[in-house]
Amino acid sequence: MIKMKYKFFNAAAGLFSAVCVICISVSAVLLMRFIYYFDINNLDIPGISGYSAQICRINYDTLIDYNLLGGEDKLVLPSFSMSDTGEIHFREVKDIFIKMQIAAVSGIITFAAWIIYVSKKGVRKSNTLWMRITGILLIFTASATAVLMMADWEAAFQTMHEIFFDNDYWIFDPAEDPVIKILPDEFFFHCGVVIAAVIVLLSAGLEMAYRRINRR
């Protein structure tokens, strides 16, 4: 009965932690504005879009601010008009990012509380298996995602949208939603690569912590 309790605890904690780490990674990359700033020149976004680097940066910052906790309720881009469907899509994206940020903050608080508890009370080895389970789940998720992205980025990008959205509002018409001109697919690919890298780093950290605890 006790062993079953530990198995359930570790399985549930591992799944919860994996979801939180993914949300932390996505939220962290959302805050890494320098990725887009770098891609402005790297991908020659001004040359592709016809808008200056300053316009690209200002509107991107507005978009990111909108998607953060405490951001504006309505998206108003300084340089671009928006269609009704475009506004709906951005609202749906915001809802997803806000939920991820809440999960990320919840995960960070939970991890911090667990570390404080362990530092004061100590920890049983049977209660640390969730760390390895989390790492395995994350490595599998990151690896599978990376393979799909490398094999066919466009198909992976489309599949992701089909999973998260129940409409095709994400397919922008540049004439009605010109903001899409400053958001090339390659930029989202780079974000995906960084998210996968952050997930791998965090899962490696959990594995190192697991081994260190269980060597005591």
Side-chain angles (χ1 to χ4, degrees):
M1 184 68 180
I2 294 177
K3 289 184 178 180
M4 284 297 296
K5 181 179 72 173
Y6 286 139
K7 286 181 179 180
F8 176 79
F9 167 80
N10 283 298
L15 181 59
F16 169 79
S17 300
V19 172
C20 286
V21 168
I22 291 172
C23 291
I24 290 170
S25 301
V26 172
S27 299
V29 172
L30 182 67
L31 294 171
M32 294 180 186
R33 304 184 191 222
F34 61 83
I35 300 174
Y36 183 75
Y37 298 163
F38 171 77
D39 270 348
I40 287 177
N41 293 320
N42 179 53
L43 300 177
D44 189 23
I45 295 177
I48 295 172
S49 67
Y51 297 100
S52 69
Q54 183 179 9
I55 288 178
C56 292
R57 186 165 180 158
I58 289 173
N59 286 273
Y60 180 76
D61 284 341
T62 300
L63 187 58
I64 293 301
D65 290 341
Y66 170 73
N67 283 289
L68 297 178
L69 282 168
E72 297 291 336
D73 290 334
K74 183 177 177 61
L75 177 61
V76 179
L77 296 170
S79 310
F80 303 116
S81 59
M82 269 191 301
S83 66
D84 292 339
T85 55
E87 187 173 352
I88 292 171
H89 176 67
F90 281 124
R91 178 69 224 183
E92 292 175 339
V93 171
K94 177 184 175 74
D95 289 343
I96 292 172
F97 279 137
I98 292 299
K99 289 175 182 176
M100 284 191 165
Q101 289 168 63
I102 292 173
V105 172
S106 299
I108 291 172
I109 292 173
T110 302
F111 293 148
W114 188 81
I115 291 171
I116 292 172
Y117 175 81
V118 167
S119 65
K120 291 183 177 180
K121 302 290 186 179
V123 62
R124 296 179 180 178
K125 293 181 180 180
S126 56
N127 281 345
T128 62
L129 184 59
W130 66 268
M131 301 170 76
R132 172 158 285 180
I133 293 173
T134 300
I136 292 172
L137 288 173
L138 291 173
I139 290 295
F140 174 79
T141 301
S143 299
T145 301
V147 169
L148 292 174
M149 287 172 56
M150 296 297 181
D152 191 336
W153 164 243
E154 290 186 3
F157 192 64
Q158 180 175 338
T159 299
M160 179 192 69
H161 281 82
E162 290 174 349
I163 291 173
F164 285 102
F165 306 105
D166 58 2
N167 54 56
D168 61 357
Y169 295 166
W170 60 275
I171 303 176
F172 284 93
D173 180 350
E176 295 187 2
D177 292 290
V179 66
I180 196 61
K181 295 180 181 180
I182 69 168
L183 298 171
D185 285 353
E186 292 89 344
F187 162 67
F188 293 109
F189 175 78
H190 293 163
C191 289
V193 170
V194 178
I195 289 171
V198 174
I199 289 174
V200 170
L201 286 174
L202 292 177
S203 62
L206 281 170
E207 176 63 20
M208 290 173 62
Y210 172 79
R211 293 186 180 186
R212 183 172 181 177
I213 291 173
N214 284 278
R215 278 202 302 265
R216 295 175 182 174

